Amino acid sequence: MVAGMWAGHPFPYHYFLLNAALGKLYLLEGDPVRAKEFLTRALGQTTRSREIAFIQGLLDKTT
């Protein structure tokens, strides 16, 4: 999934914005299953109410 200099490194999998962005891109590309995977991961990486609301809004579009 993550190529280049981050391949095999755990950092990209623990970074909220990366997972949220990937989820939104998959949603825009019409792949709600993959979008939900990344958005759910992002949801677990933040405690900020605005970020949670934003991600939840995107997650609602995957169903």
Side-chain angles (χ1 to χ4, degrees), residues 2-5 8 11 13-14 16 20 22-24 29 33 35 37 39-40 43-44 47 51-52 54 57-58 60 63:
V2 178
M5 67 184 229
F11 170 76
Y13 301 102
H14 300 290
F16 155 75
L22 286 171
K24 184 170 183 178
E29 287 297 315
V33 174
E37 174 187 339
L39 292 170
T40 302
L43 193 60
T47 58
E51 293 170 349
I52 290 170
F54 174 73
L58 293 173
D60 290 346
T63 54

Side-chain angles (χ1 to χ4, degrees), residues 7-55:
H9 195 280
F11 170 76
Y13 301 102
H14 300 290
Y15 189 51
F16 155 75
L17 288 175
L18 176 63
N19 288 313
L22 286 171
K24 184 170 183 178
L25 287 173
Y26 277 116
L27 186 62
L28 292 172
E29 287 297 315
D31 189 345
V33 174
R34 294 289 299 239
K36 189 172 186 174
E37 174 187 339
F38 283 99
L39 292 170
T40 302
R41 187 180 298 158
L43 193 60
Q45 294 174 321
T46 185
T47 58
R48 295 182 176 166
S49 60
R50 290 181 131 186
E51 293 170 349
I52 290 170
F54 174 73
I55 296 168

